[in-house]
Structures are given as structure tokens and as C-alpha cells.
Amino acid sequence: EAEAMAVYGEVEDAFTDAFSASLGVRYHDEDRTNTSIYSSTSFFPDFTYFSDPYFGPQGSGVTTTVEETSFDHTSYRIGLTWTPSDNGMVYVTQSTANRAPIILTGNERNALANAGIEQVGDIDAAELSNFEVGTKWTLADGRMQIEAAYVIGDWQDIPLWAQVQVPGNPISMPIGGTDADVTSTELAVTWAITDSLQVNYAYTYTDTDVTEVPDPSLVSNYPGAIRRGGKLYNYSPETHNIGVDWSREGIVSGWDMYLSANYVTRDRVDGINPFRAPDSYVPASARYQNLMLNFGVRKGPWDVVFSVRNAGGHDGQYLPRTSLGGGDAQLFGLLQQPTTYTLQVSYDGMP
């Protein structure tokens, strides 16, 4: 069970005609209660090959544990905006954000305390610090909009599954101690070529750099593919998104027609198996691709749309199969939704 609340406020001041500044603060508070119920069941052998009500399932005692945790975090956002003209602006922001803390069970906390070992990393909050500089412009008499941004993200204490060395058997738990920088270059262009035809294009390039890993003397079974100065998993270098929208009024008997197509492709991502600690990443078997098509007509309260999802029939695994051998650790490896055809007829007679 979880109960969370957040309060956010922002103040903006335009101190000149061209410059404005903003400051936002967000407070987040969360309480969690984890109830674990354990029981075991054994079956007595039945040599008569028939069901015997006296020797059915036998249950042992039931153990229930209740653990409560609380978590709060304050994040902020500072921004400066320069508007040199009515059709363009440049902005700079610095912000922080938090993610859920690394929650340990009572047994894990006791094992660390008995061994005199502190939890690796900051268990209170894994934080992301973002610095972003961007610009937005409207050109060609308002028919073209261009947006571009460069973002530097600093991840602190990314939780990963590994083992902590304690006297006796090592214990496996989510640990922190992994830091990384994630940089992203983004571009988006919208161009209304005519009153009926519009083209959209978006591009993103992402790069990562692991800046810190846990002390190997404290941690074992840590994914060897994650190295200081190396790349972080589950990030895709390039993404392209192309869209086309066309509409025309009163083509046949007062019916309006519209068409749209959108195609997105993303480079193959790398993954890891946290239970086998491989020394190299496992790439996805195929890049992600998806083509969506829509054809529709409308007249008055009627709207008829025919849609095709995954029109290209892409069926490659766009997330890695990180088990390296199957079994219970068969993770991810998701397949794209198969080609799907949908016909939707809507009637809205409301004035």
C-alpha cells in the first residue's frame, strides 16, 4: 500500500521585455506499507491412488510481516528565457527530479547491520539533475515551427541488482552506487506546406557515459557490462519520427476527407541480465519500427475512420533477450503488435 502527496508552485518574473526568469519547487511525500504473508504446504502420499480427505494438503504455520517506510524529497526548477522577437525564444533550465528510494527488507537491513556494512549508495533518493538549453521559432509566415534542445542529465544512484559481501552467504539486493550522464539532442520541425498538407519530423540522439560504479570490494555479481567510462543500457542512440497529415473539405457530396501517416524507427537498444552479470551487453535482435495509417471521412455528426497499426508488419524483437540461455530469467524481448486493422464509425448528434 502506498499513500503519496505532492505540492508544487512556480513563480515567473518578466524583468524586461526580452528576459524572464522562473523558479519552481516541488515537495513530494510518500508512505508505504508492505505486508508479506508466508506459508508452506506439503502433500502426504496416497498409496490407494484415490483421494483421501485425511491426507490432503497440510499447511504449516503462517508468518505475516508488516514493514513501513516513508520517503520525502524536494526538487526544483530554475529557468531563464530570452525572447529576441515575437517569433522566437531561447531558454535555459536547471532542474532536479527524484525517483523512488531503494527499499530494503528487514532481513536485508539486519544482515547489513550485523556485518557493520552500510547500504551501497544513497538509499533515500536516486536523483536526476537536468540542464537544458533550447530554442523555439516560428518561420515562413507562421507555417513552420522549429524546436531544438540539448539536455544533459546526471543520474545519481541508479538502483541495480547485485550482491553485497557479508560474512557467510552474500545477499542479493537492489543497490545504488551507479552514476551516469545522459546527453540528448532533440529536433522537431512542423511545416504546413499548404492549407491541406502538413509534415512533421522529430529526431533525437542520445548518448550515455557511466561515471561511477560501486566498489568491487563491497559488491559482487555486479553487471560487468557496466563500466566506468562505458555506456548505460536500455538507451537508444537515434530515433526518427516522420508524420504527414492531409485533409480536404467537401470532396464528394459534402464529405470531408483526411489522411495521416506516421513512421517511427529507433536504433537497437542494449540490455543486461541482472541475474547473470554478463561482461558485455545483449543487443536487441532488431530496431524498433512502427508505421501507422489513418484514412477518414466526416460529414456533419458522422465520422468514419479506417486505421492500420504496424502497417509494415514489423515483427522483430525490439528489446533485448537478456537471459542468455532462457529459463526463469527470460526477460523482455518484446514483439511489436501485429498488423491491426480497425474501422470506427462515430455519430455525435450533440449541438
Side-chain angles (χ1 to χ4, degrees):
E1 298 179 359
E3 182 176 341
M5 61 86 66
V7 179
Y8 175 77
E10 187 174 59
V11 177
E12 183 174 1
D13 178 29
F15 52 90
T16 71
D17 292 339
F19 288 92
S20 63
S22 62
L23 171 63
V25 178
R26 181 180 186 270
Y27 174 76
H28 173 87
D29 182 81
E30 184 171 330
D31 296 313
R32 297 186 183 186
T33 301
N34 183 57
T35 303
S36 301
I37 302 175
Y38 169 80
S39 65
S40 64
T41 304
S42 59
F43 292 85
F44 286 77
D46 184 359
F47 297 101
T48 63
Y49 300 100
F50 293 99
S51 175
D52 189 334
Y54 297 100
F55 296 97
Q58 303 297 312
S60 67
V62 176
T63 301
T64 301
T65 60
V66 178
E67 295 182 297
E68 297 182 353
T69 58
S70 60
F71 163 67
D72 64 86
H73 184 271
T74 301
S75 56
Y76 70 88
R77 182 176 65 184
I78 301 174
L80 178 65
T81 301
W82 175 45
T83 309
S85 64
D86 293 338
N87 63 341
M89 55 92 76
V90 179
Y91 66 90
V92 177
T93 60
Q94 172 67 42
S95 62
T96 59
N98 68 280
R99 57 185 296 165
I102 302 172
I103 299 177
L104 303 180
T105 66
N107 292 335
E108 292 169 342
R109 294 195 299 269
N110 291 334
L112 293 177
N114 293 334
I117 299 175
E118 294 185 359
Q119 165 66 15
V120 180
D122 182 4
I123 66 173
D124 291 332
E127 189 174 69
L128 170 65
S129 177
N130 261 340
F131 174 79
E132 179 175 350
V133 55
T135 184
K136 301 179 181 180
W137 293 87
T138 300
L139 306 174
D141 295 330
R143 290 187 173 273
M144 178 177 292
Q145 296 181 358
I146 299 178
E147 300 183 26
Y150 181 72
V151 185
I152 302 176
D154 179 16
W155 278 110
Q156 297 292 322
D157 286 298
I158 302 171
L160 293 173
W161 194 267
Q163 291 180 339
V164 178
Q165 297 296 335
V166 298
N169 295 325
I171 57 174
S172 297
M173 63 176 65
I175 65 171
T178 302
D179 303 338
D181 292 336
V182 179
T183 58
S184 177
T185 303
E186 305 170 3
L187 173 67
V189 180
T190 300
W191 183 20
I193 301 176
T194 67
D195 293 339
S196 302
L197 180 62
Q198 179 174 293
V199 178
N200 309 292
Y201 174 73
Y203 168 82
T204 300
Y205 177 80
T206 306
D207 192 20
T208 62
D209 178 36
V210 177
T211 57
E212 190 63 51
V213 295
D215 186 348
S217 64
L218 298 177
V219 176
S220 64
N221 202 38
Y222 181 82
I226 302 179
R227 306 179 181 91
R228 187 184 289 108
K231 302 298 183 182
L232 198 61
Y233 66 99
N234 268 5
Y235 278 89
S236 176
E238 285 190 343
T239 300
H240 300 268
N241 192 317
I242 303 173
V244 178
D245 294 285
W246 178 86
S247 62
R248 190 71 176 270
E249 297 181 354
I251 290 185
V252 178
S253 301
W255 285 87
D256 302 333
M257 181 183 297
Y258 57 93
L259 300 168
S260 67
N262 192 85
Y263 174 73
V264 59
T265 177
R266 181 175 297 121
D267 284 350
R268 295 193 302 169
V269 298
D270 291 327
I272 59 172
N273 180 355
F275 305 105
R276 291 178 180 262
D279 291 332
S280 60
Y281 284 122
V282 182
S285 62
R287 62 191 296 126
Y288 175 83
Q289 299 181 67
N290 190 15
L291 174 62
M292 296 181 291
L293 303 173
N294 292 285
F295 168 72
V297 293
R298 65 168 64 96
K299 181 180 180 180
W302 291 97
D303 194 341
V304 183
V305 185
F306 177 72
S307 304
V308 183
R309 298 293 184 268
N310 190 17
H314 176 64
D315 60 359
Q317 292 184 332
Y318 60 88
L319 288 180
R321 291 180 56 187
T322 54
S323 65
L324 296 178
D328 293 336
Q330 181 75 36
L331 305 176
F332 304 123
L334 298 182
L335 294 176
Q336 174 74 313
Q337 177 186 3
T339 303
T340 306
Y341 305 94
T342 303
L343 178 63
Q344 178 176 302
V345 180
S346 304
Y347 176 82
D348 184 0
M350 297 294 292

